[in-house]
Amino acid sequence: MIRESDAHGVGQLSHFRCRGGRYSGAMGPRILVLNGPNLNMLGVRQPQVYGDNSYADIVEICRKAASERSAEVEVRQTNDESELLGWIHAVARERNFSAIVINPAAWTHTSVALADALVIPEVPIIEVHISNVHAREPFRHHSYVSPIAAGVIAGFGPAGYRYAVDRAVDLS
């Protein structure tokens, strides 16, 4: 049993059952979708690169993709790297998610700490990027996350989240 916060910050108790050594909810696999810095500004920040979809649109895409696969999804965003690391550590401690989809944003190219944290939970990791990072500035071509990810999806816009959630369910 774990305590989760709802949209209003009110704690709720949730029960999970174990399937194949990985935790799943009442519907099936539980996927955690994590988003790094500035993704809360989607729809405002560089629409020529990231499109017109808002962060709320990304959340809805993930929820719909999970629902279609009888899975559960929790979508989070932070501009604070220590908060992101804490969420990943909680997955390892609580064993309450069967896979992680992550758009590390700028931390993709800079954070050894993030790469180190992502191996701790021992669940499949899917790296996703809205833009094609390999067609952009050279500093964006390197990822500290890719070597430990089960797969990388980049350049498909918001649909990349759908593909990532779908694959995460397959790997759960």
Side-chain angles (χ1 to χ4, degrees), residues 75-150:
V75 183
R76 302 177 188 172
Q77 187 280 328
T78 184
N79 294 314
D80 180 345
E81 188 174 12
S82 67
E83 183 173 36
L84 182 71
L85 298 177
W87 292 338
I88 295 165
H89 294 164
V91 172
R93 279 192 309 276
E94 299 167 11
R95 304 198 51 78
N96 55 346
F97 290 96
S98 54
I100 297 173
V101 169
I102 185 166
N103 183 340
W107 295 323
T108 303
H109 325 291
T110 62
S111 184
V112 173
L114 176 59
D116 286 349
L118 283 168
V119 299
I120 298 170
E122 298 181 348
V123 298
I125 307 296
I126 307 292
E127 181 181 356
V128 64
H129 297 281
I130 294 169
S131 69
N132 180 353
V133 293
H134 300 288
R136 296 185 62 197
E137 304 91 338
F139 77 88
R140 296 185 191 276
H141 299 179
H142 174 74
S143 170
Y144 285 101
V145 176
S146 293
I148 54 117

Side-chain angles (χ1 to χ4, degrees), residues 25-109:
M27 289 181 62
R30 291 195 79 227
I31 311 301
L32 179 60
V33 178
L34 298 176
N35 291 283
N38 300 316
L39 290 167
N40 58 310
M41 298 304 295
L42 288 173
V44 175
R45 178 185 178 219
Q46 295 178 284
Q48 71 279 11
V49 175
Y50 301 105
D52 295 327
N53 291 89
S54 69
Y55 178 71
D57 295 333
I58 299 298
V59 172
E60 185 55 33
I61 287 167
C62 293
R63 287 182 179 156
K64 183 176 179 187
S67 176
E68 289 173 359
R69 295 292 308 275
S70 297
E72 295 179 42
V73 68
E74 187 169 320
V75 183
R76 302 177 188 172
Q77 187 280 328
T78 184
N79 294 314
D80 180 345
E81 188 174 12
S82 67
E83 183 173 36
L84 182 71
L85 298 177
W87 292 338
I88 295 165
H89 294 164
V91 172
R93 279 192 309 276
E94 299 167 11
R95 304 198 51 78
N96 55 346
F97 290 96
S98 54
I100 297 173
V101 169
I102 185 166
N103 183 340
W107 295 323
T108 303
H109 325 291

